[in-house]
Amino acid sequence: MAEILDGKLVSAKIKEEIKLEIEEIKKTSGKIPGLAVVIVGDDPASKVYVKNKRRDCEEVGMYSEEHALPENISEEELLGLVKKLNEEENIHGILVQSPLPKHLNEDIVFENISPEKDVDAFHPETVGRITLGRYNFVPCTPMGVMELLKYYNIDMSGKECVVVGRSNIVGKPMALLLLQANGTVTVCHSRTKDLGEVTKRADILIVAMRQRQFIKADMVKEGAVIVDVGIHKKDDGKLCGDVDFESVAKIASYITPVPGGVGPMTRTMLLKNTLTAFKFKSN
Ligand code: GUN
């Protein structure tokens, strides 16, 4: 039976470190790292995410502010707020919650966030920097996965690392980070022929395909490390991931649970990125 990669435990430890660091910053400089979260409209899931992000900030002693804007706000007004936040001294990180209403161009909004405050790591400059290995920020989910693997001393060097999913937020940056850690990296996706043949090659398998319990035991090599980025609600109301946990856990060496695996790590990496942004400004 696989050992659990406990994201809840590891994220709690990292949060404690962040909290201590913020206390020290407050003591020595009188300043507080700050995050601004912008939410447009009334999407219930987005509201929950934003509430959680603010609660996380509070837990570690970080300043946060929320800008809740009406659904029908114009792009010009939203960009006006982003530009104002770019200049605010007490704001070190800016996050505009996605998805935005259809009439707003998300790419343009993200591009207008100052790269120095780009804690989501969605700005094209940040993306370019990640590709070059000269980055300040990495998107929170792939960064959380790397921290989780690091905590359990899982070495990626020379290993077959397979990423299922090619999104800009998870799959692509995930592949780049694994490559930087000297993994032999394969990215596969919905158009990949014989997906199971490719996933079965993996020593380390990262699944971010948004398909409920898609990865079964016969698609996994014995002893593989399994990281499940997916989250879905089952018919009985319980949560599950992209991996069929029950069968895969029997043959894997390590596996992330859902919930309690990647999710808490992602949330904590936002705090880490905001702290990095603060330090970046202070140096
Ligand atoms: N919506 C869901 N996840 C995210 C995220 O990580 N960042 C932003 N900006 N929006 C999201």
Side-chain angles (χ1 to χ4, degrees):
M1 196 69 183
E3 186 175 332
I4 297 292
L5 297 168
D6 189 343
K8 219 169 150 182
L9 172 95
V10 179
S11 66
K13 282 181 193 274
I14 297 173
K15 268 205 276 195
E16 200 48 44
E17 287 167 16
I18 293 173
K19 189 176 172 186
L20 292 175
E21 206 170 334
I22 291 176
E23 273 169 19
E24 193 57 33
I25 288 169
K26 279 185 198 164
K27 247 191 270 168
T28 52
S29 71
K31 292 180 184 164
I32 309 177
L35 173 72
V37 183
V38 180
I39 176 168
V40 181
D42 294 312
D43 178 58
S46 289
K47 278 184 166 175
V48 173
Y49 288 137
V50 167
K51 197 173 95 195
N52 288 340
K53 281 165 186 161
R54 294 204 66 201
R55 191 193 297 151
D56 291 339
C57 286
E58 207 171 295
E59 252 181 72
V60 298
M62 197 173 266
Y63 171 74
S64 76
E65 60 185 37
E66 181 180 328
H67 297 265
L69 305 175
E71 179 86 22
N72 62 358
I73 192 153
S74 69
E75 197 163 286
E76 201 183 346
E77 282 173 287
L78 177 57
L79 292 177
L81 171 64
V82 169
K83 283 187 182 139
K84 191 168 145 269
L85 293 171
N86 282 340
E87 279 154 26
E88 292 268 355
E89 284 286 314
N90 62 335
I91 294 300
H92 305 91
I94 302 169
L95 182 143
V96 178
Q97 186 66 27
S98 168
L100 289 171
K102 293 268 182 295
H103 69 284
L104 300 169
N105 185 327
E106 220 162 71
D107 290 341
I108 290 178
V109 175
F110 292 146
E111 271 181 50
N112 274 275
I113 294 173
S114 162
E116 289 171 19
K117 299 190 177 187
D118 182 28
V119 289
D120 253 334
F122 293 168
H123 192 287
E125 182 180 316
T126 310
V127 177
R129 284 183 167 279
I130 295 167
T131 310
L132 296 170
R134 290 168 31 207
Y135 47 82
N136 303 313
F137 308 113
V138 179
C140 298
T141 298
M143 187 177 164
V145 171
M146 294 303 279
E147 290 271 334
L148 193 58
L149 294 174
K150 202 164 81 186
Y151 181 87
Y152 286 90
N153 293 316
I154 293 166
D155 186 17
M156 286 145 260
S157 184
K159 302 274 177 64
E160 289 283 346
C161 303
V162 175
V163 180
V164 191
R166 55 176 161 174
S167 71
N168 290 335
I169 301 175
V170 182
K172 286 182 199 166
M174 189 73 247
L176 289 168
L177 295 185
L178 291 165
L179 195 55
Q180 253 158 40
N182 301 315
T184 303
V185 183
T186 305
V187 182
C188 49
H189 45 79
S190 53
R191 304 271 177 96
T192 300
K193 284 193 183 129
D194 295 329
L195 185 69
E197 288 305 309
V198 183
T199 55
K200 222 176 162 135
R201 292 209 300 258
D203 298 313
I204 299 171
L205 179 63
I206 317 281
V207 190
M209 62 192 305
R210 299 196 194 119
Q211 301 257 8
R212 194 167 100 177
Q213 295 175 310
F214 187 90
I215 301 291
K216 311 278 187 204
D218 64 353
M219 301 170 80
V220 171
K221 180 161 84 177
E222 192 153 349
V225 176
I226 312 293
V227 176
D228 189 350
V229 177
I231 186 152
H232 312 270
K233 209 174 228 174
K234 287 194 288 188
D235 298 336
D236 63 6
K238 290 194 181 141
L239 296 174
C240 69
D242 290 348
V243 175
D244 178 28
F245 182 90
E246 213 165 293
S247 68
V248 173
K250 287 188 183 131
I251 60 163
S253 58
Y254 292 90
I255 189 166
T256 56
V258 178
V262 175
M265 293 300 294
T266 297
R267 280 171 63 176
T268 301
M269 292 306 111
L270 178 63
L271 302 173
K272 199 158 178 174
N273 274 345
T274 307
L275 187 55
T276 300
F278 173 88
K279 291 188 211 162
F280 183 68
K281 193 183 161 207
S282 308
N283 282 327

